[in-house]
Amino acid sequence: MDTDFLEDFAAMSTHGATPGGGVEREAGTPEDHAVRAWFRGWLEEAGFAVRHDAISNQYGLVELVPGAPYVLVGSHLDSQPLAGRFDGAYGVLAAAHAAREVVRRVRAGELTAACNLAVVNWFNEEGSRFTPSMMGSSVLTGSLPLETALAATDRAGASVADAIATPGDALDLAVPPVAAYAEIHIEQGRGLEESGTTIGLVDRTWAASKYRIVVHGEQSHTGSTIMADRKDALFGAALLIVAARELTEELPEGLLHSSVSELELAPNSPVTIARRVEINLDLRSPDEAVLARANALLEERIAQVEQRARVRVERRLTHQWGLLSYQPEGVELARSAAAALGLTHAPTMTVAGHDSTNMKDVAPTVMLFVPSIQGISHNEGEATSDSDALAGVALMTEVTARLVAGELGADAAFVPGL
């Protein structure tokens, strides 16, 4: 199985491959369609029935207990622009290999199943082409209306509905009841590597506040407008960008991450002062009190920027959550499985969002991390060692087997609206 996984991962990574050793396959692009087609072939060869729901989440299903709910395992194959090979994709393939082995055990009489099993490749987890991120799991869990997701457009005006219609997949799966969900992912940080730990047992998320901020100025000439008369939206945005970074220096070290990750400028002319700048500002913390203080300081900085740059700042909160816990029984199941395999493990928090952060709200959920070399992610240099990747597959197999056996309970199940 070890060689098979590494060979399959290399083959999967050829789809959307970049010169720097990464991948680029944003949701609904030809590169994304290509890797999904490759994955369909892999699933069908392994004996899974491949189906798609109304938002184009891709499933490989196998019935083990007629009428029983399903254990879902998986992650996402779409990527950021010029990204690494591992983010999301490692988790999809690890789940698929784990599921194939669990099915073999059940059919060989080595494991008694209480649930059916499905591998899922979530649509548009990254949110780089279409917003919001984690779209497929948000629609499945009911936090995002299907109609809203389908109407979302990219910068060129293409809609999600257009993008998922292109490969011609039948979007007709009525998703069956879900008994539990499990996902494995690269850590995207340095914690596991620096502590010499092979497995992170995710028990909580960081708290976060995300804003869409529009800086309104006044369009004028870059050369002839005297400085005292300028109402430069780009200057105001620049001050906000610096202020967001400086918040991390004012608050206790390591307890606040801040980013400005997107910028749209109008009129974007070389001889015209910007009248409007739109940015995405993100604050995250493992301490809710620190995040609250950061939000208060941000409000103060916005008022100062408005006065200094002579602009108006419009701020809209797009996402907000506190420290959200995964079910303790899921964490314990994963801990026990890791211990049984002799893998070093430790509880950890996730800073990034994952489809599991949606699924944990509706079903018992297990979230696992494997180390990221130097913590590099969303970058072509993203990597995880073969030994750590294979250890994760082994653990995912054990966790999936326990979930299929009903260790988190198979009586109550979430019934998706899709």
Side-chain angles (χ1 to χ4, degrees), residues 87-209:
D87 180 3
Y90 164 73
V92 173
L93 192 61
H97 273 254
R100 184 177 64 179
E101 169 61 15
V102 169
V103 171
R104 186 203 64 77
R105 292 181 190 178
V106 172
R107 291 179 172 163
E110 300 170 12
L111 177 70
T112 300
C115 299
N116 297 309
L117 183 56
V119 182
V120 59
N121 165 29
W122 299 105
F123 177 73
N124 189 40
E125 192 275 348
E126 291 292 354
S128 58
R129 182 183 178 194
F130 302 109
T131 58
S133 60
M134 301 182 289
M135 182 177 282
S137 58
S138 294
V139 172
L140 182 83
T141 57
S143 63
L144 178 67
L146 173 62
E147 296 75 15
T148 302
L150 292 174
T153 57
D154 63 12
R155 287 182 175 85
S159 70
V160 166
D162 296 333
I164 64 179
T166 300
D169 294 324
L171 306 177
D172 58 2
L173 175 66
V175 183
V178 177
Y181 176 71
E183 181 173 351
I184 192 165
H185 206 279
I186 58 169
E187 183 188 18
Q188 301 176 287
R190 299 199 312 245
L192 294 176
E193 183 182 55
E194 290 183 346
S195 64
T197 305
T198 303
I199 300 294
L201 309 173
V202 179
D203 59 1
R204 289 170 296 161
T205 69
W206 276 34
S209 297

Side-chain angles (χ1 to χ4, degrees), residues 256-334:
L256 181 71
H257 289 185
S258 74
S259 300
V260 173
S261 54
E262 192 174 15
L263 184 147
E264 297 177 7
L265 172 66
N268 205 22
S269 165
V271 292
T272 304
I273 289 169
R275 66 175 181 270
R276 185 180 188 275
V277 175
E278 188 168 353
I279 62 176
N280 191 70
L281 194 151
D282 186 328
L283 302 174
R284 306 191 193 203
S285 177
D287 186 315
E288 291 180 350
V290 170
L291 182 62
R293 179 59 180 155
N295 279 304
L297 288 171
L298 177 63
E299 188 170 354
E300 292 178 9
R301 299 298 184 274
I302 287 174
Q304 294 166 4
V305 167
E306 288 182 316
Q307 183 175 12
R308 181 178 176 187
R310 302 174 69 238
V311 297
R312 178 173 65 86
V313 177
E314 175 188 346
R315 177 181 56 160
R316 177 171 61 90
L317 183 67
T318 58
H319 298 84
Q320 185 173 41
W321 60 85
L323 300 181
L324 302 177
S325 296
Y326 286 75
Q327 293 89 349
E329 58 269 30
V331 178
E332 173 55 27
L333 182 150

